């Protein structure tokens, strides 16, 4: 910025020296008459024009020393001030300019001297000095050119201070005071500062502008910024308001042209919903389950709206990702470029590149993944799936708020899944004001978890060899046979085993100082861990897990040691809610099977989008994005659905409890208990 103003000084003074060419004829004639010292001054000018500023400065100084009142003295003072400014000797430069102003008050160079003083303060970053000195330059006492330059420096000062709104107000105030030529100079400055403003700042600026021409300019600029963001509704509102109020304004035609560009740029198939799912490849089982939920929602929507004629008709456009990330990107591009869909559901399983493609093209997408930070990709990305954060929130809220627990232990597998859940559980417990009193990891590929369990309770001896063998044999049998053919390790042996050290002495008692223990792992490991927890006297303690615990395998493996365990689930087909019962009944009738979580969540996602894209008030993809962002407590079969400001989903998950070797709703159990007590 400083370098710009050094050049500005030289150019400004050079322009000022061209005063001879544009001065009134009477002054020009006076200057043309020879006077003492003219030859010396001309020599200095020649050196200045060659860029030899040091020698030029000496020549000007000699002239001023010999002819301090000479007719070229004001010009010499201006030139020496300019050279001193380039040398960054601003204080001496101001002294020269001030000498000119005071001694030659009638000189045509006084205005340039005043502006040059402003510039020296600016180059020294003395911004308040700039503003204070500018107030002393009365607009009515100087030329339009001087007024334009004064306000240009003030505006640049505010910009450099990080106050672009103030800079814009300065430029706008100057416009009312200038002739056409100088207005154009200020308009260039104003365009520079407003072009960098956010739409919200422009909207605020526009509210204070009365000049109709510039209102039109700002209105079109604001609309263009909204169009760049594909915020077409806002652009349309701004433009329509201006055209309606000022149809004959010079910017009205430009506003109408922008309206036409919106219509062209926002063209898409308003009622077409796209899907990207792995219908082939290693994830095809999950992809086809997801497709079942979406197609069921589509059929139900058409049945419910059979009397409505949508124009164009509602369409479901399906693309196969092939369980391949690159193919998922290709599928998203095809849906957007060729099929011009309004929004997309998918992909299922993480494909960050495909989701990013939708964001770059500003197409709303509801992703089906647990992967962290997916919604952070952008404002067109939403996630409707069962996330770790949702699960731990449900568990901790139940344990703390409903059961009154405040001391927790975490036993987790040392791998990505376990670490994510363990850390989120810790964070949520802390948020609730409760405590984590045990936090241990284990190798998920082992069968003996005694070491980390003992660390939780303050014991460090090895598991009895015979029990370790039983556990290992049981796990191997479970992998090779059906659950009906095998029995878990002898529970009576575990209950009666004495805790003895290698030298035969009685071991110290386990210290179980926690109310609940959280184990974020799958059923094959948890089925072995729960009996070992009981073996180490971790009893009368609430066992909590993730949705992976919702498996018959866990109950078959852990037996009675799983009794009372609590876990969240994304979808509870046996819920007493009417909407869930109706969905399950109709889904079973159509597909001949009960729905699981994946078809249930894709059903909800499709229903949400069908409702939005068929709303006659929704005309743009940005409108769909905005509606999704405002979604609150949508009554889906997977729970009331809300998207937060990041695009992530929030639901009140159903909690299940294992009771009598079955999964039952915690809510149902509590209701039965309340009825019995009543």
């Amino acid at each position: 910025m400083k370098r710009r103003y050094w050049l500005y000084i030289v150019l400004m003074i050079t322009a000022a020296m061209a005063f001879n060419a544009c001065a009134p004829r009477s002054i020009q004639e006076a200057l043309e008459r020879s006077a003492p010292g003219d030859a010396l001054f001309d020599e200095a000018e020649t050196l200045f024009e060659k860029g030899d500023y040091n020698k030029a400065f000496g020549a000007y100084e000699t002239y001023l020393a010999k002819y301090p009142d000479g007719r070229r003295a004001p010009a010499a003072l201006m030139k020496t001030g300019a050279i001193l400014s380039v040398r960054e000797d601003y204080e001496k430069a101001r002294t020269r300019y001030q000498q000119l102003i005071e001694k030659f008050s009638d000189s045509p160079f006084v205005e340039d001297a005043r502006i040059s003083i402003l510039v020296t303060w600016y180059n020294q970053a003395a911004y308040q000095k700039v503003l204070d000195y500018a107030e002393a330059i009365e607009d009515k006492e100087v030329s339009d050119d001087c007024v334009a330059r004064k306000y240009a420096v003030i505006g640049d000062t505010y910009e450099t201070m990080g106050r672009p709104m103030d800079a814009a107000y300065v430029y706008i105030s100057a416009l009312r005071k200038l002739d056409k030529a100088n207005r154009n100079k200020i308009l260039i400055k104003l365009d520079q500062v407003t072009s960098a403003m956010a739409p919200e700042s422009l909207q605020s600026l526009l509210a204070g502008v009365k000049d109709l021409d510039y209102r039109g300019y700002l209105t079109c600029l604001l609309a263009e910024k909204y169009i760049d963001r594909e915020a077409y509704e806002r652009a349309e509102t701004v433009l329509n308001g201006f055209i309606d109020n000022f149809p004959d304004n010079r910017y009205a035609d430009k506003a109408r042209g922008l309206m036409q560009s919106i219509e062209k740029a926002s063209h898409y198939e308003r009622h077409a919903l796209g899907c990207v799912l792995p219908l082939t490849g290693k994830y095809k089982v999950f992809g086809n389950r997801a497709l079942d939920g979406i197609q069921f929602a589509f059929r139900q929507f058409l049945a419910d709206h059979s009397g409505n004629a949508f124009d164009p008709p509602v369409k479901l456009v399906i693309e196969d990702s092939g369980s391949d990330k690159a193919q998922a990107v290709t599928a998203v591009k095809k849906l957007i470029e060729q099929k011009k869909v309004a929004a997309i559901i998918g992909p299922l399983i993480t494909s960050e590149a495909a989701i990013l493609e939708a964001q770059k093209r500003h197409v709303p997408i509801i992703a089906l993944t647990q992967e962290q930070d997916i919604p952070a990709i952008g404002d067109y990305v939403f996630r409707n799936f069962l996330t770790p954060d949702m699960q731990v929130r449900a568990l901790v809220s139940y344990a703390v708020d409903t059961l009154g627990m405040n001391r927790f232990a975490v036993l987790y597998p040392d791998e990505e899944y376990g670490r994510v859940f363990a850390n989120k559980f810790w964070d949520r417990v802390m948020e609730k004001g409760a405590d984590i009193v045990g936090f241990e990891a284990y190798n998920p590929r082992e069968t003996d978890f005694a070491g980390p369990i003992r660390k939780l309770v303050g014991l460090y001896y090895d598991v009895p060899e015979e029990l370790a063998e039983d556990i290992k044999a049981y796990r191997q049998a479970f992998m090779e046979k059906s659950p009906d053919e095998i029995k878990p390790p002898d529970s009576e042996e575990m209950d009666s085993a004495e805790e003895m050290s290698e030298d035969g002495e009685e071991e110290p008692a386990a210290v179980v100082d926690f109310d609940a223990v959280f184990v974020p792992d799958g059923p094959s490991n948890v089925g072995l861990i729960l009996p070992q927890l009981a073996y180490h006297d971790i009893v009368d303690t609430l066992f909590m897990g993730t949705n992976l615990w919702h498996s018959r395998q866990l109950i078959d493996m852990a037996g009675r040691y799983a009794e009372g365990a609590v876990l969240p689930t994304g979808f509870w087909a046996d819920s007493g809610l009417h909407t869930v019962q109706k969905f399950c009944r109709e889904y079973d009738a159509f597909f001949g099977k009960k729905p699981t979580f994946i078809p249930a969540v894709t059903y909800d996602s499709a229903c949400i989008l069908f409702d939005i894209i068929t709303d006659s008030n929704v005309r743009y993809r940005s409108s769909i994005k905005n509606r999704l962002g405002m979604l609150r407590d949508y009554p889906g079969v997977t729970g009331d659905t809300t998207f937060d400001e990041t695009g992530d989903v929030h639901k009140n998950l159903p909690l299940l409890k294992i009771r009598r070797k079955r999964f039952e709703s915690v809510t149902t159990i509590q209701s039965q208990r309340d009825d019995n007590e009543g």
Side-chain angles (χ1 to χ4, degrees):
M1 186 66 78
K2 270 190 175 183
R3 175 58 59 184
R4 186 180 77 178
Y5 266 100
W6 291 345
L7 297 174
Y8 172 70
I9 291 170
V10 176
L11 293 172
M12 181 181 72
I13 303 309
T14 302
M17 293 304 100
F19 176 77
N20 291 359
C22 59
R25 185 63 188 166
S26 59
I27 299 176
Q28 189 172 341
E29 289 173 352
L31 290 174
E32 287 172 354
R33 292 194 295 270
S34 62
D38 281 359
L40 180 57
F41 183 84
D42 290 341
E43 180 187 346
E45 289 284 87
T46 300
L47 292 167
F48 186 91
E49 290 171 3
K50 289 181 179 179
D52 193 346
Y53 298 129
N54 288 335
K55 290 183 179 180
F57 185 82
Y60 287 129
E61 286 284 82
T62 301
Y63 175 87
L64 288 169
K66 290 184 177 182
Y67 308 101
D69 297 317
R71 67 170 185 159
R72 300 293 182 89
L77 287 169
M78 283 297 298
K79 285 295 180 67
T80 54
I83 294 170
L84 288 166
S85 290
V86 172
R87 293 175 179 175
E88 298 188 51
D89 196 344
Y90 299 119
E91 187 172 349
K92 287 183 179 179
R94 282 193 293 273
T95 299
R96 297 302 173 96
Y97 298 139
Q98 195 60 39
Q99 286 177 356
L100 191 161
I101 294 168
E102 293 174 357
K103 190 171 182 178
F104 303 98
S105 58
D106 294 333
S107 169
F109 299 123
V110 168
E111 291 184 357
D112 292 320
R114 288 174 172 169
I115 299 302
S116 297
I117 289 174
L118 281 181
V119 174
T120 63
W121 288 124
Y122 177 90
N123 282 338
Q124 287 183 284
Y127 302 128
Q128 192 56 49
K129 291 280 190 181
V130 175
L131 303 179
D132 293 341
Y133 190 83
E135 289 185 3
I137 304 175
E138 294 286 346
D139 294 346
K140 61 184 179 181
E141 296 177 359
V142 295
S143 66
D144 273 5
D145 182 64
C146 183
V147 171
R149 285 184 287 155
K150 180 186 87 168
Y151 282 105
V153 178
I154 296 172
D156 284 339
T157 298
Y158 279 125
E159 280 192 77
T160 308
M161 294 171 70
R163 295 163 59 180
M165 287 289 287
D166 287 329
Y169 282 124
V170 165
Y171 296 142
I172 290 170
S173 68
L175 289 174
R176 297 192 293 267
K177 306 174 182 181
L178 301 173
D179 57 22
K180 183 176 180 180
N182 283 296
R183 277 174 61 90
N184 289 337
K185 295 176 185 176
I186 292 296
L187 281 172
I188 292 172
K189 303 288 291 182
L190 187 54
D191 183 59
Q192 290 173 347
V193 69
T194 53
S195 294
M197 284 185 178
E200 296 75 19
S201 297
L202 271 181
Q203 187 80 60
S204 176
L205 183 63
L206 183 59
V209 175
K210 295 181 180 179
D211 182 286
L212 290 184
D213 278 353
Y214 203 65
R215 279 190 68 85
Y217 170 82
L218 278 181
T219 297
C220 292
L221 178 61
L222 176 60
E224 287 170 342
K225 286 183 176 289
Y226 281 137
I227 291 170
D228 287 343
R229 294 186 175 191
E230 296 194 15
Y232 297 122
E233 283 181 319
R234 293 186 175 183
E236 189 177 57
T237 299
V238 168
L239 292 169
N240 277 333
F242 179 73
I243 294 169
D244 291 344
N245 290 317
F246 309 106
D248 300 323
N249 186 275
R250 59 182 292 202
Y251 284 95
D253 285 342
K254 182 175 182 179
R256 294 184 185 97
L258 288 172
M259 288 290 290
Q260 293 174 357
S261 70
I262 291 173
E263 188 66 29
K264 182 178 180 180
S266 62
H267 174 68
Y268 68 97
E269 292 292 335
R270 287 184 57 196
H271 297 155
L273 177 60
C275 304
V276 177
L277 299 170
L279 304 179
T280 57
K282 62 181 178 179
Y283 300 126
K284 65 181 181 180
V285 173
F286 305 109
N288 282 282
R289 288 178 189 172
L291 183 59
D292 285 347
I294 295 170
Q295 289 183 324
F296 187 66
F298 182 53
R299 292 188 180 95
Q300 189 177 81
F301 179 85
L302 293 180
D304 291 344
H305 296 81
S306 58
N308 297 340
F310 293 105
D311 185 23
V314 181
K315 294 192 297 184
L316 185 61
V317 186
I318 301 162
E319 289 294 328
D320 179 15
S321 71
S323 303
D324 178 77
K325 293 182 179 181
Q327 190 171 326
V329 174
T330 301
V332 167
K333 288 181 178 179
K334 183 177 180 181
L335 287 174
I336 297 171
E337 295 173 358
Q338 299 179 26
K339 305 301 182 180
K340 299 188 181 299
V341 298
I344 297 172
I345 295 176
L348 181 68
I349 314 298
T350 303
S351 181
E352 187 174 341
I355 297 168
L356 181 60
E357 192 67 34
Q359 170 64 35
K360 287 193 300 186
R361 295 166 182 264
H362 290 182
V363 177
I365 185 167
I366 296 182
L368 307 169
T369 175
Q370 285 190 346
E371 190 72 15
Q372 294 192 81
D373 300 326
I374 286 297
I377 289 175
D379 56 344
Y380 279 76
V381 178
F382 299 83
R383 187 235 302 276
N384 190 18
F385 214 63
L386 186 61
T387 67
D389 192 61
M390 291 165 54
Q391 295 191 53
V392 298
R393 282 180 177 274
L395 286 170
V396 176
S397 294
Y398 172 70
V400 175
D401 299 336
T402 302
L403 302 181
M405 295 178 173
N406 56 23
R407 296 171 68 82
F408 298 88
V410 180
L411 183 64
Y412 66 97
D414 193 10
E415 59 185 358
E416 181 66 15
Y417 181 89
R419 289 191 293 268
V420 168
F421 269 95
N423 288 324
K424 286 187 176 295
F425 188 87
W426 181 302
D427 291 341
R428 185 57 179 165
V429 167
M430 294 297 102
E431 287 175 14
K432 281 289 189 179
D435 296 316
I436 297 290
V437 297
F439 197 79
E440 295 295 337
Y442 59 82
N443 185 341
R445 289 169 293 280
E446 297 291 337
T447 58
D448 178 6
F449 305 100
I453 291 174
R454 289 181 184 131
K455 290 180 182 179
L456 285 181
V457 296
L459 302 174
Y460 291 92
Y461 51 88
D462 294 329
V463 69
E465 184 177 345
E466 64 275 13
L467 179 57
E469 290 299 322
D470 284 348
I471 291 172
K472 184 176 181 180
Y474 171 56
R475 183 168 195 166
Q476 184 64 31
F478 199 93
M479 298 303 166
E480 298 174 355
K481 303 178 182 179
S482 70
D484 294 335
E485 299 179 70
I486 56 178
K487 296 188 298 181
D490 190 342
S491 58
E492 291 186 4
E493 177 185 333
M494 291 179 63
D495 289 342
S496 61
E498 294 183 353
E499 297 174 351
M500 301 293 291
S501 64
E502 292 181 359
D503 58 9
E505 294 182 0
E506 186 176 347
E507 293 288 347
V511 179
V512 182
D513 58 349
F514 42 83
D515 306 311
V517 58
F518 176 55
V519 187
D521 204 347
S524 59
N525 275 343
V526 176
L528 298 175
I529 289 171
L530 295 185
Q532 292 185 51
L533 288 171
Y535 175 79
H536 290 93
D537 288 339
I538 303 177
V539 293
D540 298 325
T541 302
L542 178 64
F543 297 147
M544 297 191 295
T546 69
N547 66 303
L548 296 182
W549 286 29
H550 193 187
S551 165
R552 187 70 210 176
Q553 179 184 358
L554 172 63
I555 294 177
D556 290 336
M557 288 184 69
R560 65 189 181 89
Y561 298 105
E563 186 74 8
V566 172
L567 58 139
T569 185
F571 174 68
W572 182 231
D574 294 325
S575 168
L577 294 175
H578 171 72
T579 53
V580 175
Q581 290 180 339
K582 180 176 182 293
F583 167 70
C584 292
R585 186 169 57 251
E586 294 176 354
Y587 186 96
D588 192 4
F590 189 84
F591 291 104
K593 57 185 177 182
K594 284 187 175 183
T596 57
F597 169 70
I598 287 180
V601 78
T602 55
Y603 170 85
D604 278 348
S605 300
C607 287
I608 289 168
L609 285 173
F610 282 133
D611 286 347
I612 293 175
I613 66 176
T614 55
D615 186 333
S616 59
N617 294 317
V618 174
R619 299 179 55 201
Y620 308 113
R621 285 178 174 139
S622 59
S623 309
I624 300 171
K625 180 256 295 184
N626 293 337
R627 289 290 186 90
L628 287 171
M630 295 185 293
L631 192 73
R632 297 293 181 270
D633 296 328
Y634 182 90
V637 297
T638 56
D640 292 346
T641 301
T642 295
F643 291 117
D644 65 19
E645 64 279 358
T646 71
D648 214 349
V649 68
H650 290 265
K651 300 174 189 281
N652 291 323
L653 296 182
L655 288 177
L656 305 181
K657 177 176 282 190
I658 298 175
R659 190 168 72 153
R660 295 189 290 270
K661 296 187 177 182
R662 296 177 52 195
F663 292 101
E664 297 186 17
S665 167
V666 167
T667 303
T668 302
I669 294 171
Q670 185 61 46
S671 297
Q672 293 172 349
R673 184 178 294 118
D674 292 343
D675 290 342
N676 292 334
E677 291 176 357

